Amino acid sequence: MEIDPVTNGNTDAVMTEPTPAISPSRPLVPSSRLSQLTESIKLEHQLLRVPFEHYKKTIRANHRSLEREVSSVVSSVGDLADNDWSKDVAVSRLTSLVSRLQGLKRKLEEGSNVENLQAQRCRARIDHLDSADVENITEWNNTKLKRILVDYMLRMSYFETASKLSESSNILDLVDIDIFREAKKVIDALKRREVASALAWCADNKTRLKKSKSKLEFQLRLQEFIELVRADSYKQAILYARKHLTPWGATHMNELQHVLATLAFKSTTECAKYKALFELQQWDVLVHQFKQEFCKLYGMTMEPLLNIYLQAGLTALKTPYSFEEGCTKEDPLSQESFRKLALPLPYSKQEHSKLVCYISKELMDTENPPQVLPNGYVYSTKALKEMADRNKGEIKCPRTGFVCNHTDLIKAYIS
Amino acid sequence: MELKSIKDAFDRVANKQKLSYTKTQEIIQMLSQELDKALILLQEQFDHRPILASLKKTLQENSPIVNQLEVTEKELNMALTKYPKVLEKQLSSDISKAYRHNVEFDTHVVNQIIANFFYRQGMFDVGDCFLVETGDESECSTRESFFEMHRIVEAMEKRRELGPALNWATSNSEKLKQARSDLEMKLHSLRFLEIARDQTSQEAINYARKHMAGFADSSLYEIQKLICSLLWSRNLEHSPYSDLLAPSRWNDAVRELTRQYCNLLGESSESALSTTVSAGTQALPVLLKYMNVMVAASKKLDWQSVEQLPVAVELSEEFQFRSVFVCPVSKEQASDENPPMMMSCGHVLCKQTINKMSKNGARSSFKCPYCPTDVDISRCRQLHF
């Protein structure tokens, strides 16, 4: 890893010698780097979890459908034996069962191929985590940033860029484009105010949703009911409610009553409590809720990874002085856009002083202690010595223009 | 990082899945065979009823295989349930615990940052595609500048061409001098070595006279080295100056060029997005640990509204861009209201601490907490880092 990033980075009229690659004040501490690496790998839960949930889902679905088919073949044979069919019928039925079994065999084969591909993907991700070490960490972090960006784009439905970036960076195995495409179908349908695909998704994941006590399906049903009321199809609405809403009565009676009362109020109501139910924004709420359930089901974080990392990073970088000018351009917080994002965030807490020389941007420590000009401005010994050497012992404060002699400097002790 | 337990748990899943596949295959195979057998019998024998009855019996009594499948399925299910648990134990299952949900990022700003990132990395088609898809078209002002930078860098890296780089460096000569960058000299010396290799030493000397003499102040030693290397001009690799041929000199020049180019644009030399995400990677584990402790102690904290993080996050030195002074007595971070003050002995404390030590100026002197000096308050003065 490179360890010379902070020097030389200002455009101000101040000067510095190029720093040697490894200055004595910055020792490489492999053990701390190593533990940092371990800690950062622990943040990758989503990377392993998501493809696994997908794999598990495929296994279960394949298994269920095969089981059904096999038992139906067995029971067909039972039927055949129990009924008194002619021989010809028996032969033709058996022959059709044989070809059905052949189809089943193919289906098993295909299913298993899909499963194996998904298993490979799970493994590729474990291997990717395993491949991170102190030597290749820069490259690994680059890949990580791209993964995080793809995750952001998928959640924002920027599919084209997500595919392009994953292909050009060769990280298709490390991102979940196909899984998000499944979500996109549902989201697009909800945006067109159609609940069918969302309901189908709920049915597909019934057990899991039930376990997490999700009420997404209930909310979709309520919305459908509201739409019937909006269209003045009251009779249909009542029939619909009998069929689809009553099962939720035991757990969600209040909401159920609230929504059913719209039959009395109609869609033109001015009563705020019921008017709200007819707002078209309710559909956006459904989209949001679907996204939440979707993320939960796959073990994803609710927010894009990018937002989580950016927030943590900006907070850690922010100091009470972050918005002052005159800082090195290397600080992300010297840029307008990053400042905007950081504005509402708290600044970091430090337990020890860390002083950076305004001139050389180098750390001021025992090797390069801070020195104070008579006007109270502090710079590093090295930078001041260099300035004095160049200007026959004269020191000019770059921030105030104050001029003094090299002998006027006092060393400051920072503990 | 010990990923072994994760790998093992996954291997288990994959094995059980294979086993379940084989068993299902066997069952289907067995069913087909039985049906085929029955069909052959039906052709040979007149009465079909006993054949069907015995087929039914065989199929319904095939319990051993079905039982095996059931056992396998059970094991597979167990493995499938266990793996996520292993993941949750070994990794942080929800990193959004450390997220402040009341802070919404402006999507537009985030998208601008991302587009800018693609352009500075030279991924122009991805960046363009991104802006079209987000609907923020034609709003990335830095595209052209980065395009030019990548043109220059590509010429150097792919074709070993210095022309575009030298042009840029010459036209920004003054600014580079102000930034104390030796980029121009670096490029000239690469060019000098090319001339010495491909043309005559005389031409190389002429080049040095014309372009390098002006750098005598800052790069005298380098110039001496280059001129001396002419003595071995046809055999440089076996000379004391063989290091002049090192490819790393090209990489250095490219890196310095990128840095200066970005700085002149008002950008950092490392991508700011990547710096921030790296800082986040270091900060998150600390924040998560803190949140877990707080949750375990069932303490409620006002995470959403704090002005300062409640826990110290030590970033590596490459993230140290600004001076932070922490008063060694009060442990508080200096700010405009509470600036650092140096005492007559050279030790530095925060203003509030000094006020406390002097009982708000009631005493005109107090003892420095770090040395035997008696500190005169009127001689304490504010520092600016």
Side-chain angles (χ1 to χ4, degrees), chain B residues 156-173:
Chain B
M156 283 177 79
E157 281 183 336
K158 292 212 174 126
R159 302 189 293 277
R160 287 285 186 251
E161 264 177 42
L162 289 162
L166 275 168
N167 275 344
W168 182 81
T170 317
S171 55
N172 289 285
S173 185

Side-chain angles (χ1 to χ4, degrees), chain B residues 199-215:
Chain B
Q199 303 168 27
T200 64
S201 298
Q202 184 55 50
E203 275 166 290
I205 290 173
N206 287 344
Y207 185 86
R209 273 197 189 134
K210 190 168 166 204
H211 297 287
M212 297 189 338
F215 295 96

Side-chain angles (χ1 to χ4, degrees), chain A residues 91-319:
Chain A
V91 170
S92 89
R93 289 271 170 98
L94 278 189
T95 319
S96 84
L97 281 182
V98 167
S99 65
R100 192 163 157 197
L101 280 174
Q102 237 121 45
L104 209 51
K105 216 186 228 168
R106 256 200 315 280
K107 201 168 155 192
L108 174 70
E109 214 60 53
E110 280 159 19
S112 148
N113 284 341
V114 175
E115 284 168 22
N116 288 340
L117 277 178
Q118 292 184 346
Q120 256 172 41
R121 168 166 291 203
C122 293
R123 229 185 267 280
R125 300 207 180 175
I126 301 177
D127 291 342
H128 177 69
L129 283 193
D130 213 12
S131 73
D133 60 40
V134 178
E135 272 81 52
N136 68 4
I137 191 67
T138 314
E139 197 194 333
W140 200 85
N141 279 336
N142 278 338
T143 309
K144 170 172 177 155
L145 177 57
K146 286 177 187 158
R147 283 195 280 122
I148 292 176
L149 286 175
V150 172
D151 172 82
Y152 172 81
M153 291 174 196
L154 291 174
R155 289 172 193 251
M156 304 293 285
S157 291
Y158 306 146
F159 280 90
E160 208 179 312
T161 323
S163 309
K164 205 168 203 154
L165 176 59
S166 327
E167 273 161 35
S168 64
S169 313
N170 214 0
I171 50 169
L172 278 169
D173 259 349
L174 304 176
V175 294
D176 302 301
I177 298 180
D178 43 349
I179 292 174
F180 274 96
R181 281 203 196 281
E182 171 195 333
K184 186 173 188 292
K185 267 186 223 147
V186 177
I187 292 170
D188 287 349
L190 284 177
K191 283 188 177 153
R192 290 194 305 267
R193 303 200 197 127
E194 295 165 15
V195 288
S197 50
L199 283 173
W201 185 85
C202 287
D204 249 7
N205 300 287
K206 204 169 176 176
T207 5
R208 300 281 312 274
L209 290 176
K210 210 169 178 182
K211 213 185 237 171
S212 67
K213 298 207 172 84
S214 155
K215 52 177 196 174
L216 177 65
E217 191 190 335
F218 179 53
Q219 274 157 328
L220 292 167
R221 299 281 183 203
L222 289 183
Q223 191 63 39
E224 268 202 314
F225 175 83
I226 291 284
E227 293 306 317
L228 288 172
V229 175
R230 198 199 302 279
D232 293 336
S233 320
Y234 302 118
K235 208 166 174 186
Q236 257 181 295
I238 293 168
L239 288 176
Y240 185 88
R242 272 199 199 133
K243 188 167 172 202
H244 296 295
L245 296 183
T246 41
W248 299 85
T251 42
H252 299 89
M253 190 48 105
N254 286 343
E255 281 163 281
L256 186 60
Q257 286 169 342
H258 180 195
V259 170
L260 274 174
T262 56
L263 282 173
F265 282 91
K266 296 196 177 177
S267 57
T268 49
T269 178
E270 284 304 314
C271 175
K273 202 176 163 195
Y274 296 98
K275 197 180 171 189
L277 291 173
F278 289 101
E279 300 283 358
L280 289 177
Q281 284 154 356
Q282 289 295 328
W283 286 97
D284 299 336
V285 176
L286 284 178
V287 168
H288 178 74
Q289 258 151 358
F290 166 73
K291 280 185 182 169
Q292 299 256 310
E293 292 295 343
F294 181 83
C295 291
K296 219 196 272 174
L297 206 71
Y298 277 106
M300 297 177 195
T301 55
M302 298 292 169
E303 291 75 24
L305 295 176
L306 181 70
N307 295 15
I308 298 174
Y309 279 95
L310 274 183
Q311 208 187 60
L314 288 170
T315 316
L317 289 172
K318 190 173 165 183
T319 75

Side-chain angles (χ1 to χ4, degrees), chain A residues 84 109 123 130 161 413, chain B residues 7 11 17 21 49 133 346:
Chain A
D84 201 12
E109 214 60 53
R123 229 185 267 280
D130 213 12
T161 323
Y413 295 92
Chain B
K7 277 185 188 164
D11 284 343
Q17 179 244 335
Y21 163 74
R49 275 178 217 102
E133 217 172 4

Side-chain angles (χ1 to χ4, degrees), chain B residues 59-277:
Chain B
L59 291 195
Q60 282 172 353
E61 279 175 2
N62 57 26
S63 45
I65 304 186
V66 175
N67 282 350
Q68 281 173 19
L69 181 65
E70 268 169 21
V71 172
T72 319
E73 289 300 327
K74 215 182 216 166
E75 286 172 351
L76 174 61
N77 268 331
M78 264 163 57
L80 284 173
T81 328
K82 198 181 165 208
Y83 183 67
K85 286 187 184 145
V86 174
L87 288 186
E88 266 166 33
K89 199 176 155 211
Q90 298 287 321
L91 310 171
S92 308
S93 61
D94 184 11
I95 60 170
S96 63
K97 270 188 217 152
Y99 186 79
R100 267 168 298 275
H101 294 273
N102 62 340
V103 178
E104 282 267 339
F105 281 157
D106 180 344
T107 310
H108 183 70
V109 176
V110 176
N111 287 349
Q112 284 297 308
I113 288 174
I114 295 175
N116 199 40
F117 168 78
F118 287 138
Y119 288 141
R120 66 158 301 136
Q121 302 299 105
M123 303 165 86
F124 294 98
D125 50 344
V126 178
D128 290 345
C129 178
F130 182 72
L131 284 184
V132 171
E133 217 172 4
T134 55
D136 291 329
E137 260 174 282
S138 76
E139 274 203 60
C140 198
S141 51
T142 46
R143 188 187 192 280
E144 288 314 306
S145 314
F146 282 129
F147 193 76
E148 176 67 11
M149 179 178 97
H150 280 278
R151 198 179 62 86
I152 298 173
V153 168
E154 208 179 86
M156 283 177 79
E157 281 183 336
K158 292 212 174 126
R159 302 189 293 277
R160 287 285 186 251
E161 264 177 42
L162 289 162
L166 275 168
N167 275 344
W168 182 81
T170 317
S171 55
N172 289 285
S173 185
E174 268 316 300
K175 286 176 189 157
L176 289 174
K177 267 195 195 108
Q178 278 182 5
R180 296 283 284 171
S181 163
D182 59 349
L183 175 66
E184 250 188 301
M185 182 60 206
K186 274 196 165 97
L187 294 171
H188 282 309
S189 52
L190 288 172
R191 182 80 192 108
F192 173 89
L193 289 166
E194 277 185 349
I195 296 176
R197 186 192 62 205
D198 302 336
Q199 303 168 27
T200 64
S201 298
Q202 184 55 50
E203 275 166 290
I205 290 173
N206 287 344
Y207 185 86
R209 273 197 189 134
K210 190 168 166 204
H211 297 287
M212 297 189 338
F215 295 96
D217 274 355
S218 53
S219 311
L220 192 59
Y221 177 63
E222 172 84 2
I223 296 175
Q224 287 169 349
K225 241 172 102 173
L226 287 168
I227 300 292
C228 273
S229 76
L230 288 177
L231 297 178
W232 285 271
S233 66
R234 294 278 164 253
N235 197 15
L236 203 53
E237 55 268 39
H238 300 297
S239 75
Y241 295 107
S242 57
D243 64 305
L244 290 175
L245 294 173
S248 63
R249 289 174 65 88
W250 281 84
N251 298 342
D252 281 353
V254 167
R255 203 176 310 135
E256 179 64 13
L257 182 121
T258 320
R259 164 171 290 174
Q260 293 305 333
Y261 197 105
C262 289
N263 278 179
L264 290 191
L265 274 183
E267 300 260 343
S268 46
S269 58
E270 294 289 323
S271 141
L273 178 64
S274 130
T275 306
T276 312
V277 168

